[in-house]
Amino acid sequence: MGAHPEKYCDLVMKGGVTSGIVYPNAVLELAKSYRFKSIGGTSAGAIAAAVTAAAAVGDRRQEAGEKLGPDAGFNGMANVARQLSSKGFIYCLFQPANGATNAFRLVVLLAGHAKSWRKLLGVLVAVVAIAPLEFLAILAALCTVGYWIEGWGGAKAAMLPALLCAYGGAATLAVARTARVARRNLLGLCSGLSGRRAWPWRRRPLALTEWLHQTLQALAGKPEGEPLTFGDLWSAPRYGNEPESGFSINLQVITTGVSHREPRTLPFANKNFWFREGEFRRLFPASVVEWMIRAEEGAPLVVDGEIYHRLPEGDRFPVLVATRMSLSFPLLISAVPLHEPAMWARRPDTATSERGEDVVDEDAEAQGEGANEHSVLGTMEGLASGGRRRTSDVTAMRICWFSDGGISSNFPIHLFDAGLPLWPTFAINLRYPPPDPDMRWETDGEVPLEELEAAVFLPESNNQGWKHAHHPIASEWAPKEVAGFLFGIVGTMQNWRDLLQSRAPGHRDRIVHVSLQGTEGGMNLDMPAPVLERIAKKGAIAGRRFAAFSFENHYWVRWRNLSAAVQNYTVEFADNTTPERWLPPYAAACGSPLRDEESPSYAFKSEAAARRARDMHKKLHKQGKQWKKGVDLSKGAPNPAPQLRITPTF
């Protein structure tokens, strides 16, 4: 890679299935100007984030003087970029389970960019291919009835209605059969491991999870039997000029807890999840599962005759497992089942106080489970995983399904964000605008460089990157228009939070947008070589765009945002309080007879803490009154106007 840069950055990457081909070349270009500190993503972006983090580990180890293999570090990542851009490679990574081949092909066809007539033909053929015996049995039975009634003439007359009835019955049975196959394969058509046995004389191609494990190990310079963990990232060797930070490399990816209806950030902190060996062996290489069992702290949990192993905590969490939990594209790739306690034997330490507060298990606290109490993410994980209770009291377990992170946060621009950052957090957004008739996107041939350059956009001024994107729905074909409307609703539910944040000042200037057309990326698993090369070139262009990024302007914009937001928040605080009372003057009318020194819940642990809180209250009130009469810092600040609010995190 040549001389190492002196600048540092964070990087966030959006999900997009095969669109992730953009990322390796973008990272390689970015690595020429920056060193990576924090890396995050969702789905395909999570794969790219994990691969980047592994390459960064290998690079740091090589810089520290360790002798690693030729595939370690960013030199190895260049090989990964070439692999992903080779025709047929991505398609081979997706290997359907036994009995799921025809359904898999249909899902890929329907989600891809094929013509409408091809999709309709694919549905017609797939139904018969999935349930052929049922189709023939129903057809034969109905034709036989016609023969019994009117002989050969009756059989011929019954042929058309028999075909329709047979097809309808086969379609119903095909859906039911596909559902059974998906359920048997952990709610997906592809597990991520090799689906079918290869003949002895044929070399079996690696499936997605197997390839990812092999790639992560090679890039980080780790042996096969010792999976790359978050601890390896956090404690990787530091560069000589590296600024102080908690971790050498910080990786975070997003998954969706479908059973809990919420997004989750990996690795888990202060959680209470368990896994079953048999289920994990169907999703992960045997060496990874065996390592997780060997590394387990404490004895396994046995409930109703089933053995549950504790999921490794933070620094021992395998990067492969986190990445696989983030990329479980619904139906296409199997979901990941974890388990949590559902019932406990009642004990005094799990009761609630008279004020309704949870009583903390002091034994668990002494064992260090309260170490993350000052971490927002840590406290959220504690709530989401059932709190702290003795595992010896568990009497029942329940399954928790985790699927693709893109369901809930496909572009987690919030990751690594800070009011005033130490270095920029770059982000790469994949978008699908309407086809431009002036650009030859549909061709499989070479596209001029100027058209590729035009497809990659990074704001060059503060007035760019904020406009709404318009997605037309109208179509001459009514079913297509209705489908476009419904998919637009789903897309809005999925992306509204990420979209609004990505347009905010201090965010929009650090996002490079890569436009992809219908034949590029998405669910197009078997793209022609010229299309693959085109996507990879766009990635390289995206990485180069960041070389001209102005961190000085970015930092100033964020300071203008922060100063205005803090002032407005403090003024609002002063308007809603009085200097001596934390309750508003009309609290008694609302049924609040409490005095200031009393607390309805969550009392301070000491008088010193209570005194500090009272002092803070008085200072905030005084400052808010002063700022209300002074200069308004929000005038001339970037739009939309910034604000501070207490919001959920994940």
Side-chain angles (χ1 to χ4, degrees), residues 552-591:
E552 292 180 356
N553 182 71
H554 173 75
Y555 194 90
W556 176 251
V557 170
R558 295 191 72 90
W559 166 239
R560 289 288 275 119
N561 275 340
L562 182 63
S563 60
V566 169
Q567 184 188 56
N568 292 337
Y569 190 88
T570 309
V571 168
E572 181 181 338
F573 176 88
D575 288 342
N576 295 335
T577 62
T578 60
E580 302 297 333
R581 298 180 62 86
W582 59 266
L583 283 172
Y586 51 83
C590 298

Side-chain angles (χ1 to χ4, degrees), residues 264 268-272 340 358 369 372 375-388:
R264 304 294 293 273
F268 289 129
N270 194 24
K271 43 80 188 110
N272 195 23
E340 67 177 1
D358 295 329
E369 292 192 18
N372 291 320
S375 162
V376 175
L377 180 60
T379 54
M380 283 297 296
E381 293 294 353
L383 288 174
S385 56
R388 308 180 183 112

Side-chain angles (χ1 to χ4, degrees), residues 1-8 28-35 59 63 74-75 239 241:
M1 294 297 296
H4 278 81
E6 299 297 319
K7 297 184 293 185
Y8 291 82
L28 290 171
E29 289 295 330
L30 192 55
K32 296 177 181 178
S33 302
Y34 291 89
R35 285 169 164 168
D59 185 70
E63 184 76 0
F74 290 107
N75 289 329
Y239 295 118
N241 65 340

Side-chain angles (χ1 to χ4, degrees), residues 16-97:
V17 196
T18 63
S19 305
I21 300 172
V22 164
Y23 296 131
N25 281 331
V27 169
L28 290 171
E29 289 295 330
L30 192 55
K32 296 177 181 178
S33 302
Y34 291 89
R35 285 169 164 168
F36 297 102
K37 286 295 297 179
S38 296
I39 311 150
T42 295
S43 193
I47 297 178
V51 168
T52 303
V57 169
D59 185 70
R60 287 168 176 267
R61 294 180 63 187
Q62 290 173 327
E63 184 76 0
E66 297 186 49
K67 300 296 183 182
L68 304 179
D71 291 329
F74 290 107
N75 289 329
M77 193 166 185
N79 296 331
V80 172
R82 285 190 289 270
Q83 267 188 320
L84 293 175
S85 299
S86 60
K87 178 173 171 50
F89 180 79
I90 292 180
Y91 188 84
C92 290
L93 295 179
F94 293 85
Q95 300 181 24

